[in-house]
Amino acid sequence: MKKADTPPITIIGAGLTGVFFAILLAKKNHQVVIYEKMTEDELRNTASKKSFNLTFYKYAICVFKKYGLWEVVENVARPLTGTVTFISAGEIGRASC
């Protein structure tokens, strides 16, 4: 059975994990449908009132690189200062995987 003949993969929730998983599946030519309980207006209003700080260490950077997404993430990422990590901020984009 070809991927085009298979039913779409359903993902419940348009949070960080749901959207990331959808991107990975779509890059492998799967059809994906995402269901989110909030309306677009609710998402916009909620997102504007929240601040999410995500820290990506070497493993996460390697996963992003493996699936060709690091270039997108790196453009909006900021190196952390005042934290202890195993790679310096200057090496963050060059993390060997």
Side-chain angles (χ1 to χ4, degrees):
M1 190 186 268
K2 295 179 186 176
K3 289 180 185 176
D5 297 334
T6 61
I9 296 170
T10 301
I11 296 176
I12 308 298
L16 180 65
T17 304
V19 172
F20 182 69
F21 193 50
I23 291 168
L24 296 182
L25 290 168
K27 286 180 89 92
K28 294 198 174 272
N29 297 319
H30 291 283
Q31 293 181 340
V32 180
V33 176
I34 301 175
Y35 289 94
E36 173 57 52
K37 69 180 178 179
M38 292 183 163
T39 66
E40 284 187 50
D41 286 339
E42 289 172 326
L43 285 170
R44 273 191 224 104
N45 291 335
T46 302
S48 66
K49 295 175 185 165
K50 291 183 179 179
S51 174
F52 294 97
N53 297 309
L54 302 172
T55 303
F56 299 121
Y57 292 99
K58 182 177 177 177
Y59 178 78
I61 293 169
C62 290
V63 171
F64 283 128
K65 285 182 173 184
K66 179 179 179 179
Y67 293 102
L69 299 171
W70 177 243
E71 294 76 23
V72 175
V73 174
E74 185 178 28
N75 287 332
V76 296
R78 291 184 179 186
L80 293 175
T81 57
T83 62
V84 177
T85 63
F86 294 102
I87 56 176
S88 71
E91 297 173 352
I92 211 162
R94 298 188 310 263
S96 59
C97 301

